């Protein structure tokens, strides 16, 4: 019976390894955590919050110092970052606050960050499997088995030549294992996909052909020879591991537990080597099994690419099926295997009759009405050639006529605006064209006493007078411009002489406002036509 204490889930503090430090890779803000860990992992000294923020800016990542401090606190809780507070020279309370702490990546955080950069980030490139390393492993193991397997285990027989052979075995094994794991990952990534394009399918085919003819055979034979040599050396595993430790320059630290011996310095390393070369469950055997399982995926992709390349059309498939069902012995079975998994349809509709026999002919089978969309929008024509496009000459002529009519009306409106004096009433179309140019000028920046804007081929210049009120008159509305007078003209040209003469004697001042102020109001009184600009300005000033 399980006690309540045993049923409690393991907390972050009770986790014996560095699993908690991996948490920052799966958080929503993982990009910020990864950038901060890159800075800490690449620094040889402890960094403050301000120094981390400055390093992030130099790397192209802009984070506020307070946000960096919160991220560092979260990393500290995960165990990926450690900190220290230097109180030896502290003279004020502010000097011991968290923002003055110095942070560095913990050993677990460094391992996690390097794992991310080397394994998770980017695309792993498959490199060639070094058969030379396998040959070197097998030759050294067989030499050791021939030299040590003839007698009882004796530490006096382990000389420098034996230790050099052991070092070569494990160095070559690291190289071989890394390349084999990378090749297996690349093979799995290609073999598990059905939608490979032609280039990736050829890559998969090349991998399979190359490894099936050369690498897999070499791995199988080399693993068998290495396993046989290791079986002879098994009584020597403890002595070989101790000899590697005794020959190390750091043997005192290894004995004290501060350092771990290099590969070959523990009996577990030799047991792992035996497991790696096992004929049934070893790495080479698993890789050969991956090759066999990848063959159906390669064939499926090749068939799909062959079918979609146009070499097998729907018509050729239908003719091939017709020829196949002519066989009197198995014609019915072939037909049922070809279409038995799908309901028989014509023109994307299904027949209602179910008692027409097992294999009715196309002509004598049940009829299905043609769908409405196909009858109304479908095109008909000879086989192999599409119907002629619809004649839309009339519609194009109507569109061009409407466009020309709108353009002519716009030009008439512009001519009326250019011919009118400041403050004179315009018709609705001309007033709207003038209003568009006026709004563009009101948003534009001022140059001295003027600001100019353009819209629809018409320009408007607002002249700043500082007093009075300019006006844009329409039949049912008007626009009031306190302290400014609108002048309309062609883009890149000056206003007309009549407009300039109407404003003769008006004083101007620099316009220092960011934008012009205007107000649109409805007409409340009768419109009067008066070309005297000074009277217009004074009257509009009272209205404003």
């Amino acid at each position: 019976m399980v006690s309540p204490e045993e049923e409690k889930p393991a907390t972050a503090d009770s986790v014996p390894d560095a699993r908690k430090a991996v948490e920052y890779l799966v958080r929503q803000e993982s990009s910020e955590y990864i950038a901060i860990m890159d800075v800490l992992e690449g620094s040889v000294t402890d960094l403050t919050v301000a120094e981390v923020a400055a390093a992030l800016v130099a790397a192209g990542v802009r984070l506020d110092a307070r946000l960096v401090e919160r991220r560092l606190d979260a990393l500290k809780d995960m165990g990926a970052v450690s900190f220290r507070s230097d109180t030896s020279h502290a003279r004020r309370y502010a000097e011991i606050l968290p923002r003055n702490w110095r942070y560095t990546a913990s050993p677990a955080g460094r391992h996690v960050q390097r794992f991310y950069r080397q394994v998770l980030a980017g695309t792993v490139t498959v490199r060639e499997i070094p058969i030379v390393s396998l040959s070197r492993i097998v030759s050294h193991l067989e030499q050791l088995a021939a030299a040590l397997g003839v007698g009882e285990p004796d530490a006096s027989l382990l000389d420098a030549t034996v230790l050099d052979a052991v070092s070569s075995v494990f160095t070559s094994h690291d190289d071989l294992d890394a390349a084999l794991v990378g090749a297996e990952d690349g093979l799995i990534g290609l073999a598990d996909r059905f939608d490979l394009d032609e280039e990736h399918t050829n890559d998969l085919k090349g991998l399979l052909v190359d490894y099936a003819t050369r690498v897999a055979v070499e791995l199988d034979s080399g693993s068998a020879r290495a396993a046989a040599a290791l079986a002879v050396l098994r009584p020597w595993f403890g002595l070989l591991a101790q000899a590697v430790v005794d020959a190390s320059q750091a043997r005192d630290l290894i004995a004290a537990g501060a350092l771990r011996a290099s590969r070959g310095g523990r009996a577990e390393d030799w047991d792992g080597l035996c497991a790696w070369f096992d004929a049934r469950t070893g790495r080479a055997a698993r890789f050969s099994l991956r090759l066999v399982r990848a063959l159906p995926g390669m064939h499926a992709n090749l068939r799909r690419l062959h079918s979609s390349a146009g070499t097998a059309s729907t018509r050729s498939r239908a003719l091939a099926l017709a020829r196949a069902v002519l066989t009197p012995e198995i014609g019915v079975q072939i037909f049922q295997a070809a279409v038995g998994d799908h309901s028989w349809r014509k023109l994307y509709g299904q027949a209602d009759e179910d008692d027409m026999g097992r294999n009715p002919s196309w002509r004598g089978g049940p009829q299905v009405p043609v769908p409405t969309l196909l009858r109304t929008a479908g095109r008909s024509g000879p086989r192999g050639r599409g119907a002629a496009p619809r004649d839309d000459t009339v519609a194009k002529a109507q569109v061009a006529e409407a466009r020309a009519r709108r353009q002519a009306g716009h030009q008439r409106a512009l001519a009326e605006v250019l011919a009118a004096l400041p403050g004179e009433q315009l018709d609705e179309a001309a007033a709207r064209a003038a209003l568009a140019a006026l709004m563009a000028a009101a948003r534009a920046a001022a140059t001295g006493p003027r600001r100019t804007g353009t819209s629809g081929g018409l320009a408007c210049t607002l002249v700043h007078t500082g007093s009075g009120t300019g006006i844009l008159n329409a039949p049912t509305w008007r626009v009031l411009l306190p302290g400014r007078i609108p002048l309309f003209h062609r883009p890149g040209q000056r206003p007309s002489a009549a407009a300039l003469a109407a404003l003769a004697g008006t004083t101007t001042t620099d316009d220092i406002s960011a934008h012009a102020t205007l107000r649109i109001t409805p007409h409340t009184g009768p419109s009067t036509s008066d070309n005297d600009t000074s009277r217009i300005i004074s009257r509009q000033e009272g209205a404003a």
Side-chain angles (χ1 to χ4, degrees), residues 131-149 158-173 222 225-230 232-233 237 240 270 273 277:
I131 301 299
V132 178
S133 298
L134 176 64
S135 176
R136 192 179 297 115
I137 294 172
V138 173
S139 62
H140 285 301
L141 286 178
E142 289 180 344
Q143 291 175 9
L144 290 174
L148 303 178
L158 303 180
D159 53 5
T161 304
V162 172
L163 296 178
D164 291 340
V166 170
S167 177
S168 298
V169 165
F170 283 96
T171 302
S172 302
H173 178 260
R225 292 172 59 186
L230 288 171
V232 175
L233 292 173
F237 284 173
L240 288 171
W270 293 91
L273 202 63
F277 287 108

Side-chain angles (χ1 to χ4, degrees), residues 241-256:
Q242 186 61 40
V244 171
V245 174
D246 294 339
S248 175
Q249 297 180 356
R251 55 181 175 273
D252 296 334
L253 295 176
I254 295 174

Side-chain angles (χ1 to χ4, degrees), residues 310-324:
T311 57
S313 61
T314 304
R315 182 173 180 272
S316 63
R317 295 193 190 98
L319 292 176
L321 177 62
R323 287 192 297 269

Side-chain angles (χ1 to χ4, degrees), residues 80-435:
V81 165
S82 60
F83 73 96
R84 64 180 178 87
S85 178
D86 189 5
T87 58
S88 59
H89 299 88
R91 296 183 178 181
R92 295 178 300 173
Y93 169 73
E95 295 180 0
I96 61 174
L97 292 178
R99 65 170 176 267
N100 294 321
W101 290 350
R102 307 189 70 87
Y103 294 86
T104 185
S106 65
R110 295 181 188 276
H111 284 299
V112 171
Q113 189 68 12
R114 290 171 186 171
F115 168 75
Y116 169 76
R117 287 299 177 195
Q118 296 174 4
V119 179
L120 301 181
T123 303
V124 179
T125 303
V126 181
R127 61 186 177 95
E128 181 184 3
I129 297 178
I131 301 299
V132 178
S133 298
L134 176 64
S135 176
R136 192 179 297 115
I137 294 172
V138 173
S139 62
H140 285 301
L141 286 178
E142 289 180 344
Q143 291 175 9
L144 290 174
L148 303 178
V150 294
E152 295 296 327
D154 187 2
S156 61
L157 299 177
L158 303 180
D159 53 5
T161 304
V162 172
L163 296 178
D164 291 340
V166 170
S167 177
S168 298
V169 165
F170 283 96
T171 302
S172 302
H173 178 260
D174 288 339
D175 187 26
L176 177 63
D177 182 67
L180 194 61
V181 170
E184 186 175 355
D185 292 341
L187 183 64
I188 294 173
L190 291 175
D192 290 347
R193 288 186 55 188
F194 176 71
D195 58 341
L196 296 179
D197 55 11
E198 186 175 359
E199 180 181 359
H200 287 86
T201 303
N202 290 333
D203 292 342
L204 177 59
K205 182 179 178 181
L207 283 172
L208 291 175
V209 171
D210 183 35
Y211 291 145
T213 56
R214 185 173 62 91
V215 178
V217 176
E218 294 288 345
L219 285 173
D220 291 340
S221 60
S223 298
R225 292 172 59 186
L230 288 171
V232 175
L233 292 173
R234 182 173 291 277
W236 292 80
F237 284 173
L239 293 178
L240 288 171
Q242 186 61 40
V244 171
V245 174
D246 294 339
S248 175
Q249 297 180 356
R251 55 181 175 273
D252 296 334
L253 295 176
I254 295 174
L259 292 178
R260 177 180 291 182
S262 60
R263 292 202 61 197
R266 298 182 306 163
E268 293 83 355
D269 298 336
W270 293 91
D271 292 334
L273 202 63
C274 291
W276 200 95
F277 287 108
D278 187 85
R280 294 180 300 170
T281 61
R283 174 67 69 181
R286 293 200 304 269
F287 184 74
S288 300
L289 186 59
R290 294 285 186 188
L291 287 174
V292 175
R293 291 181 178 177
L295 287 173
M298 182 196 70
H299 291 159
N301 279 287
L302 289 175
R303 287 195 302 270
R304 178 181 57 81
L305 291 173
H306 177 73
S307 300
S308 62
T311 57
S313 61
T314 304
R315 182 173 180 272
S316 63
R317 295 193 190 98
L319 292 176
L321 177 62
R323 287 192 297 269
V325 298
L326 290 177
T327 306
E329 292 82 7
I330 57 173
V332 176
Q333 290 84 350
I334 293 176
F335 186 85
Q336 290 177 346
V339 299
D341 294 338
H342 309 282
S343 58
W344 188 253
R345 294 174 179 269
K346 299 179 182 179
L347 298 176
Y348 298 98
Q350 190 171 4
D352 297 329
E353 294 86 352
D354 296 331
D355 54 351
M356 297 300 296
R358 298 185 64 183
N359 300 320
S361 65
W362 177 263
R363 183 182 298 275
Q367 301 297 316
V368 177
V370 179
T372 304
L373 182 61
L374 184 60
R375 284 190 284 104
T376 57
R379 296 181 178 181
S380 62
R383 182 187 302 178
R385 181 183 301 173
R390 297 178 181 178
D391 187 6
D392 52 357
T393 306
V394 178
K396 290 182 179 179
Q398 293 176 354
V399 172
E401 182 182 357
R403 185 183 297 113
R405 188 166 55 251
R406 290 194 301 269
Q407 186 65 23
H410 183 67
Q411 293 298 329
R412 288 194 298 270
L414 296 186
E416 181 179 352
V417 173
L418 294 173
L421 295 177
E424 186 176 346
Q425 182 173 337
L426 307 172
D427 63 11
E428 188 68 24
R432 291 189 177 278
L435 178 61

